[in-house]
Amino acid sequence: MASAFVLLPFYIGYLTTELYGALAIYLALSMLAQILVTYSFDTSLYIHYHDFKSDKTKLAEFISSSFNFMLLLGACVLGLAALTGDLAFEALFSNRGISFFPYGILSVLTGAFQALFKVNSSLLQSSEQPVRFFWSNLINFSLIAILTIIGLMLFPNSLTGPVGARAVAALISGTGALMRIYKVYGIRFNYPLLWSTFGFNTHSFIYQLQLWAVNYLDRILMVFFLPLDRVGVYDFAFKCMLVVEFGLNGLFNSFYPKIISKVAEQETKGTSIEINRYYHGLTAASVLLVAGCIFLFPVVLGFFEIKTGYLDALPFLPFIGILYLLKPLRLYASMPYSVLKYTRPLPVYYMVVTAVKVGLMITAIPHYGVYGVIMASMGAQVAEILLLFNGSRNRFLFNNMNGYKLIVVPVIFGIVILLSELILVAINQHILHMFYIAVSTLLLIWVYRNEFRLIDPLRWMR
């Protein structure tokens, strides 16, 4: 969450919107490299840890073998990128001033080592080691933040600082994670054991690639329709609202291992009142976070000296916020596929979702610009949720789901934001954003009115 407050002010102070748009392209490339090297072992370890934890030897062999396989995969990805990256960038971005060397190859290197760190983080979550998880991620972020700030100060109006800082931080964090794995689990390579899990990995890997396309391909496609500075403005608006993303992900990661354990104990797989309550709370958090960020960021940015162009991102914040309101419902709909290891249909679903988003972007961007990208994301999100729910209905029972808490509240709040932004354009924006906070609070008080009646204020004083 701190990245929105710590790094963004420095980005807007030292980078033009055009350079920031180029940075968004390199970060998308880094994420692609991370997915390729991870090969879905982050999800695989998350799931198979519970299968092997009763057999310490098999667990150690599986974990060590996974990291050794990722090292080999990382070397292949780096080699292939070095040979073909320049040609690909020349074909895609020849008229945009974006080259593969040196920032492209540094981004690939960052993704490769960040993959090792990410899988280790998933392992810490699965083994329920929150303290080590907290400190390792805090150190990783601190390295990125401190080195980025120093780099921007030393090399203003250059991507050397932000791209180089992430590369150095990834090298340190990834190497540290690898050393810990070897220390705890030894250096082993049991390929037959690893092969037995590849069925899950392959489908999940294709699914993650398609998720990358859904979440990052928009930056690349925008380059073909809009100036690079518009890519920067769009990405900056999204980065501001990432506070919601990180907040929801943090809450979700804190309770998801418990959900896996609960479902594993069931004969007939499905949700329960206890499981649903986690997602109800996550939905309430999304409503409050979206309302808070829409109000907060225009206020916070007013305290900084903003380079020309960045303030153009402010009108997009409420519309991007709407996208996050249904994130808990999407996580709820996707739960059966990971807990049941039912990943086979996901590539098909996300092929449809990707096609919907790309098709809508190509259609809408020429007419609506950045708003067209957001419209395409909304359409793709709705298609994704419907496909996920429909695909698991014969294998997983969604019992005791409270439609008001999971669906009605975020949908009503999203409609309020949408209509207000389209109709009430003449009203002072700070007043309008305070109205969103009031509406979100009243909606949650209404839907949780029975729970509020059970609160005994005197109990906390006794």
Side-chain angles (χ1 to χ4, degrees):
M1 292 174 65
S3 64
F5 298 97
V6 176
L7 291 180
L8 289 184
F10 288 91
Y11 286 148
I12 62 182
Y14 289 94
L15 299 178
T16 63
T17 51
E18 188 172 5
L19 275 175
Y20 192 81
L23 177 61
I25 302 297
Y26 289 121
L27 291 180
L29 175 63
S30 181
M31 183 57 66
L32 177 60
Q34 178 181 309
I35 292 171
L36 293 174
V37 175
T38 301
Y39 194 63
S40 198
F41 277 109
D42 53 340
T43 308
S44 181
L45 277 175
Y46 211 78
I47 300 299
H48 288 99
Y49 177 88
H50 296 280
D51 294 337
F52 298 145
K53 64 182 179 182
S54 58
D55 188 336
K56 301 298 183 183
T57 301
K58 183 177 284 189
L59 178 65
E61 289 183 345
F62 174 67
I63 292 173
S64 183
S65 299
S66 300
F67 277 84
N68 284 325
F69 183 82
M70 284 190 293
L71 279 177
L72 294 173
L73 200 55
C76 293
V77 170
L78 275 169
L80 185 62
L83 292 173
T84 63
D86 201 39
L87 293 174
F89 266 59
E90 183 65 27
L92 291 172
F93 310 118
S94 58
N95 299 321
R96 301 296 183 182
I98 305 176
S99 60
F100 184 73
F101 292 103
Y103 302 127
I105 193 65
L106 278 176
S107 298
V108 175
L109 180 70
T110 300
F113 277 87
Q114 191 66 24
L116 300 175
F117 178 79
K118 179 175 174 55
V119 175
N120 181 62
S121 292
S122 294
L123 177 61
L124 293 175
Q125 291 174 14
S126 300
S127 55
E128 298 189 32
Q129 300 183 54
V131 175
R132 188 181 293 274
F133 174 86
F134 169 77
W135 283 110
S136 63
N137 279 276
L138 180 62
I139 291 170
N140 181 54
F141 167 74
S142 299
L143 284 170
I144 294 173
I146 293 170
L147 293 174
T148 298
I149 293 169
I150 293 172
L152 286 169
M153 290 179 173
L154 292 176
F155 306 99
N157 289 318
S158 168
L159 296 182
T160 301
V163 176
R166 288 180 179 273
V168 173
L171 281 167
I172 295 172
S173 299
T175 302
L178 190 64
M179 290 173 63
R180 177 187 172 273
I181 291 297
Y182 286 155
K183 179 181 178 181
V184 176
Y185 300 104
I187 303 176
R188 315 173 188 217
F189 195 74
N190 187 334
Y191 185 72
L193 177 63
L194 211 57
W195 176 260
S196 68
T197 68
F198 274 4
F200 174 88
N201 282 54
T202 301
H203 292 100
S204 183
F205 169 66
I206 297 172
Y207 158 63
Q208 289 186 354
L209 282 177
Q210 291 168 324
L211 273 184
W212 175 86
V214 170
N215 294 321
Y216 291 94
L217 191 60
D218 49 8
R219 276 78 166 175
I220 297 173
L221 279 177
M222 286 176 71
V223 176
F224 296 97
F225 297 96
L226 300 172
L228 195 56
D229 72 301
R230 294 297 91 187
V231 180
V233 168
Y234 168 75
D235 191 71
F236 177 73
F238 246 103
K239 287 293 193 305
C240 290
M241 297 303 291
L242 275 182
V243 173
V244 183
E245 176 85 10
F246 294 149
L248 295 179
N249 285 347
L251 291 170
F252 177 72
N253 288 332
S254 69
F255 65 71
Y256 194 55
K258 300 180 186 296
I259 288 177
I260 293 176
S261 297
K262 293 290 183 185
V263 175
E265 295 168 358
Q266 298 173 350
E267 266 187 47
T268 303
K269 306 300 182 184
T271 58
S272 62
I273 293 176
E274 181 182 355
I275 290 174
N276 287 339
R277 280 174 177 163
Y278 287 118
Y279 289 93
H280 296 161
L282 195 65
T283 303
S286 73
V287 170
L288 292 174
L289 282 169
V290 167
C293 287
I294 292 173
F295 172 78
L296 184 64
F297 270 100
V299 176
V300 170
L301 292 175
F303 290 103
F304 296 94
E305 184 177 342
I306 308 295
K307 281 185 177 291
T308 303
Y310 281 101
L311 290 179
D312 293 348
L314 294 182
F316 302 123
L317 297 184
F319 296 98
I320 293 172
I322 295 173
L323 298 176
Y324 285 111
L325 292 174
L326 290 181
K327 180 180 173 66
L329 184 62
R330 190 194 72 77
L331 292 172
Y332 187 71
S334 65
M335 172 181 41
Y337 299 90
S338 56
V339 298
L340 300 179
K341 305 174 193 174
Y342 180 51
T343 58
R344 186 178 297 275
L346 292 180
V348 177
Y349 298 163
Y350 280 89
M351 187 181 299
V352 175
V353 174
T354 304
V356 168
K357 183 167 184 178
V358 171
L360 289 175
M361 284 179 64
I362 293 173
T363 304
I365 291 177
H367 300 286
Y368 303 105
V370 174
Y371 288 107
V373 184
I374 300 173
M375 290 166 57
S377 297
M378 289 180 182
Q381 188 180 56
V382 172
E384 178 185 11
I385 292 170
L386 292 175
L387 286 169
L388 289 173
F389 268 120
N390 183 69
S392 63
R393 61 182 180 178
N394 295 325
R395 293 173 176 263
F396 192 86
L397 299 176
F398 289 98
N399 301 309
N400 304 301
M401 184 179 77
N402 189 315
Y404 287 103
K405 293 176 180 176
L406 269 175
I407 303 173
V408 174
V409 166
V411 168
I412 289 178
F413 188 49
I415 292 173
V416 168
I417 294 174
L418 182 62
L419 293 179
S420 299
E421 292 295 322
L422 294 177
I423 298 172
L424 305 178
V425 291
I427 293 181
N428 179 280
Q429 292 302 293
H430 293 302
I431 295 175
L432 187 60
H433 297 165
M434 289 178 66
F435 169 69
Y436 296 156
I437 292 177
V439 171
S440 65
T441 303
L442 290 173
L443 279 172
L444 292 177
I445 290 174
W446 168 67
V447 81
Y448 282 98
R449 59 192 180 279
N450 293 328
E451 286 82 357
F452 281 120
R453 291 194 188 104
L454 300 176
I455 296 175
D456 179 10
L458 297 178
R459 176 188 173 192
W460 305 103
M461 301 174 61
R462 291 195 291 265

